[in-house]
Amino acid sequence: MDRPDLVVEGTVYKFVFKDILIRVVVDRIREKSGDTTGEVTVTSDMPGNSGHFHFARLNLLSTTTRASFARELKGREADIAWPQVLEFVCAMTLNRHRQGEPTIHVADMEAPVDKTFRLDPFYEDGQPAVLFGEGEMGKSYLAILQALLVVTGTKSCGMTPNQGGVWFLDYESDEETFWRRIDKLTSGLDIPTPEGLYYRKMLHPLTDDYEHLKKEVIAKNIQFLVIDSAALAVGGDTMDPGPTTSYFTALRSLGTASVTLAHVPKEDKGDRPYGSIMWHNAPRAVFRAIAADKQEGQLEWDMNVRNTKNNNNMRVSDKAFHFDFRERMLKVSNSSPMMVPDSQSLKSKIYSSLQQGAKSPLEMTGEAAMPDFNAIQHELALGITSGAFILVDHDGTRKYGLPAR
């Protein structure tokens, strides 16, 4: 038996045994309690005995389970040395799975092509972003508008797309609701429903569905993902950094630009999404949506979008959008950011300022968002008591900073 050809697509391992006309696919690999298991599918291209042979979850490290799997296969085709097939599959899968990404000698690298935006100035190619804000302000509508701009290559509202396939992963609603939103937005843009826009109602956390998503991203040539919304997409406790870190690791592995819609508690007007600090640290860009006094049943309102974090580029200046539902459609246009009040609490403004480094109250007073020196001192004193802020000695000067987390 010849050594099989192996093609790796993300975390999916595809084997082709050309001499015996057998194909084996291993995916959904899981490691737990010292065991490494994977879902193994065996199919045949043999004349007169082609098609599906067997599917099961196999412990790749267990001789016993491999022997049991081989017996099942022998019942389908007795003339193949199935133990040898499975030995190749398990050994090669484990070896490649454990390798991870290769180490690169930087001196041998060629200068990379400049990063491009999938939607300028918001979302960079291949990088995850987060758009967060209070509920019922239009975040989903804005994200769907952005998806339409990308899939059609349409420039609108100060956003310039790099055209590509789009996939909307919906944890909160259903296809009928999505269709109605698309209908309103395409009517407002005066365009037909575009090709290349895909929708999926999600029932499992993204990390549990990763292998299927990777296959679809490749098959459908997806360049931009919209995930609505964060808590359900993670599946675990959003305050626990572990599930959130795993979520963004999986998201980056999909290799597309993406935006995850997230929430913020109504009592917290800060510049971070609800959840652990990783909701701020893991994405490469974070944007906060702020609606101006939106009331129930209102058909028009303005939304401000503030770039609260940007790792790879300069922070984007505030953008504002006007939503108009008055004509049985949704028209979105640019608005003036000054029309939307700043709803951050003083504590959150201080926190954002101190993320840049230790500062004195006087230094913070010089920032446009915090003009009141006495109020800053009062909030800092409260923060010292609660542990939100700490005192630090900075070149002999007493300043305030953030505790290590």
Side-chain angles (χ1 to χ4, degrees):
M1 182 185 301
D2 295 337
R3 185 181 181 86
D5 294 335
L6 170 60
V7 175
V8 181
E9 296 177 353
T11 57
V12 180
Y13 300 83
K14 297 182 177 181
F15 296 86
V16 178
F17 292 81
K18 292 181 179 178
D19 55 334
I20 58 174
L21 302 178
I22 291 295
R23 298 175 185 270
V24 182
V25 176
V26 183
D27 65 0
R28 296 184 181 270
I29 294 175
R30 301 289 184 265
E31 296 185 76
K32 185 177 181 180
S33 303
D35 290 330
T36 303
T37 65
E39 293 184 1
V40 180
T41 305
V42 181
T43 57
S44 166
D45 294 327
M46 292 185 290
N49 192 13
S50 62
H52 177 81
F53 268 19
H54 192 48
F55 166 78
R57 176 162 285 277
L58 176 65
N59 186 340
L60 305 181
L61 291 165
S62 170
T63 302
T64 302
T65 56
R66 288 205 301 269
S68 175
F69 200 97
R71 284 195 296 271
E72 291 289 335
L73 291 168
K74 193 173 182 63
R76 294 299 306 270
E77 177 54 60
D79 294 334
I80 290 178
W82 291 112
Q84 188 177 354
V85 169
L86 295 176
E87 186 70 26
F88 269 129
V89 168
C90 292
M92 292 174 68
T93 298
L94 284 168
N95 182 57
R96 188 63 181 269
H97 179 69
R98 289 167 174 170
Q99 282 179 4
E101 293 296 317
T103 300
I104 299 171
H105 184 226
V106 178
D108 296 334
M109 292 177 61
E110 296 182 0
V113 176
D114 288 343
K115 277 283 187 181
T116 57
F117 279 89
R118 185 52 52 179
L119 185 67
D120 191 4
F122 284 90
Y123 310 128
E124 193 175 5
D125 261 334
Q127 302 293 337
V130 167
L131 172 65
F132 75 101
E134 295 178 8
E136 299 182 358
M137 66 166 56
K139 295 189 305 294
S140 294
Y141 276 113
L142 178 60
I144 295 171
L145 170 66
Q146 292 173 329
L148 286 170
L149 299 186
V150 170
V151 78
T152 61
T154 302
K155 182 177 179 180
S156 180
C157 298
M159 296 179 283
T160 303
N162 182 9
Q163 189 171 6
V166 176
W167 200 5
F168 194 97
L169 305 180
D170 193 351
Y171 286 88
E172 292 203 341
S173 191
D174 53 41
E175 54 268 35
E176 289 82 8
T177 301
F178 184 75
W179 187 92
R180 286 192 288 269
R181 289 174 172 178
I182 286 289
D183 186 54
K184 285 183 172 67
L185 281 160
T186 53
S187 297
L189 290 167
D190 194 24
I191 60 172
T193 302
E195 296 290 334
L197 174 62
Y198 298 92
Y199 172 90
R200 187 177 189 227
K201 182 178 180 179
M202 298 293 289
L203 302 176
H204 306 289
L206 187 138
T207 51
D208 291 350
D209 221 4
Y210 168 79
E211 286 84 358
H212 174 76
L213 297 177
K214 183 67 176 179
K215 293 175 187 176
E216 291 291 283
V217 163
I218 294 170
K220 293 178 169 57
N221 194 25
I222 301 299
Q223 303 297 325
F224 181 46
L225 288 170
V226 180
I227 301 98
D228 188 6
S229 62
L232 295 173
V234 169
D237 181 2
T238 56
M239 299 301 295
D240 182 350
T244 304
T245 301
S246 298
Y247 170 79
F248 279 103
T249 298
L251 201 54
R252 281 194 300 272
S253 297
L254 293 176
T256 70
S258 67
V259 58
T260 301
L261 306 188
H263 297 93
V264 60
K266 289 185 180 296
E267 67 274 10
D268 180 4
K269 307 297 183 179
D271 66 347
R272 284 173 22 197
Y274 175 75
S276 83
I277 187 64
M278 295 310 298
W279 280 105
H280 180 83
N281 291 351
R284 298 299 83 191
V286 179
F287 298 88
R288 183 178 181 204
I290 308 166
D293 300 323
K294 182 179 180 295
Q295 304 296 322
E296 185 176 353
Q298 192 171 338
L299 296 179
E300 285 188 274
W301 69 87
D302 290 299
M303 176 196 290
N304 203 46
V305 177
R306 176 164 298 149
N307 186 191
T308 61
K309 177 202 173 184
N310 207 320
N311 283 87
N312 299 342
N313 303 283
M314 296 290 292
R315 286 196 189 184
V316 180
S317 60
D318 283 9
K319 306 295 179 186
F321 303 92
H322 180 72
F323 291 79
D324 184 351
F325 285 85
R326 290 177 299 173
E327 299 178 24
R328 293 180 174 270
M329 63 179 71
L330 172 53
K331 291 183 178 180
V332 183
S333 56
N334 285 122
S335 180
S336 169
M338 297 303 294
M339 294 177 64
V340 181
D342 186 350
S343 58
Q344 273 190 289
S345 67
L346 180 56
K347 179 180 177 181
S348 295
K349 292 176 184 177
I350 292 173
Y351 186 94
S352 299
S353 179
L354 294 181
Q355 284 183 314
Q356 303 166 20
K359 295 180 181 179
S360 68
L362 187 60
E363 287 172 323
M364 284 184 275
T365 305
E367 298 175 12
M370 296 185 291
D372 192 332
F373 177 81
N374 291 331
I376 291 171
Q377 282 195 311
H378 177 70
E379 194 65 51
L380 285 169
L382 293 175
I384 291 292
T385 302
S386 68
F389 308 127
I390 60 172
L391 284 169
V392 297
D393 182 75
H394 189 81
D395 297 331
T397 303
R398 191 177 75 166
K399 295 191 175 185
Y400 293 82
L402 298 177
R405 293 177 185 261

